[in-house]
Amino acid sequence: MLKYQHIAAEIEKYIQEHALQQGDKLPVLDELMVQFGVSKSTIIKSLELLEERGVIFQVRGSGIFVRRHGRKGYISLLKNQGFTRDLDHFPITSQVLELSVGKPTREAAANLNISTEQDVYYVKRVRYIYEQTLCVEESYYNKAIVTYLNNEIVSDSIFDYIREGLGLKIGFSDSYLHVGKLEEEEAGHLGLNKGDPKLEVETIFHLANGQPFDFSRITYNYIQSQFFIQANGHGM
Amino acid sequence: MLKYQHIAAEIEKYIQEHALQQGDKLPVLDELMVQFGVSKSTIIKSLELLEERGVIFQVRGSGIFVRRHGRKGYISLLKNQGFTRDLDHFPITSQVLELSVGKPTREAAANLNISTEQDVYYVKRVRYIYEQTLCVEESYYNKAIVTYLNNEIVSDSIFDYIREGLGLKIGFSDSYLHVGKLEEEEAGHLGLNKGDPKLEVETIFHLANGQPFDFSRITYNYIQSQFFIQANGHGM
């Protein structure tokens, strides 16, 4: 982690610990420099990062302000490590339905940018929040990259293992969302009825070097899940 | 628009015009400096912005690469001007169901950070893509900020008018997504059946100075709409 990223994390922690709310003003630049003991250019980079991440907004000539959605229990669609972090205060558990090595479907191979002859780990699990079903997840991991998985790992956080156990640097993800109706099998896993609404999210996760390593499809229980997205002005 | 933002837009245009694909390599830093006639620090800032926006990814010691989702017709959930730009090649039209001045609901007032005694413009419209219903939209605009709207404006792009007609600087947005079942009235507008799935997106749009000016609720036709999100590694 680079220095400005570390300072950004410190500022975010400061905001949380002081329970600052949307619109609350942060100390001015000079004070932040002193408070965190870093140069002006580092603080500026940290603030730019926090602005991109939707933690603060800066108003020229006016100051630095906290940006903070006020709704609890929402899953961020921008943090691509899954929802464990957003739902920090909620107990998330997993039931592994399948863990196997085999050949990918044509669709998975295309999304992982490999041939259908290469091996993948296939993981299917149901995830629970407060003992309610949150989602059903199917994932294909390129075995040439994610070289090892076992039942213990996939019962817990696979991404923590990929980062810490395998030492891989996770980069970015592309997600595709569709709303539809539950098939009978999905409905069974989620404890809902066939034909009930579903949100399906397909994601391709890439390493920092751009290689796709995981193609996953998550089907959410529409009653248990709600999502938020913070956007900034760049797209406008 | 600052210089590095302008150059970022130029680089994005270059990627589009050359139809570059996911993983394609961009010229090296020195070449980009010459090509766009700017300093190294400007190019670096432009590239950082493009990385945050999910247009490129940089691999240290290796180069700058294009990041480009390959699916057409998906609506970005990160560009908060609405979907007009994502669906550039698709004809979007609007049917205005209501345009009126009045008092906000308690919920709209809370989200706009005003009292229920202050005036708002209320706009309800159905939006179409290829003559299929894309969504029903209800919006509350704080009249103290968005001082004027008429039928012609709301039949077209309200945000273009806010930026260009009123000269306001749009900043950032917070969106909340829920999946549920269509009520009878919504289903009627969308040409679907009561109980069919729906994606509902509530968004609070803020000016660059942090003031909320628009609270909207969009209910999407689940058959016509699909969405994408690009995330980078910062949340991980």
Side-chain angles (χ1 to χ4, degrees), chain A residues 67 80 175 177 227 229 236, chain B residues 80 173 175 177 227 229 236:
Chain A
R67 186 171 161 195
N80 54 10
S175 294
L177 282 69
F227 304 87
I229 296 174
M236 319 190 307
Chain B
N80 55 11
S173 66
S175 294
L177 281 68
F227 304 87
I229 297 174
M236 318 192 306

Side-chain angles (χ1 to χ4, degrees), chain A residues 15 18 22-23 65-66 71 93 98 102 104 118 121 127 130 139 144 153-154 197 199 213 225 228:
Chain A
I15 291 169
H18 291 74
Q22 174 92 28
F65 300 89
V66 173
R71 304 193 191 181
T93 55
E98 187 176 342
Q118 284 181 261
Y121 273 110
R127 309 203 76 181
Y130 283 122
S139 287
I153 294 165
V154 303
L199 178 67
F213 68 94
S225 48
F228 75 88

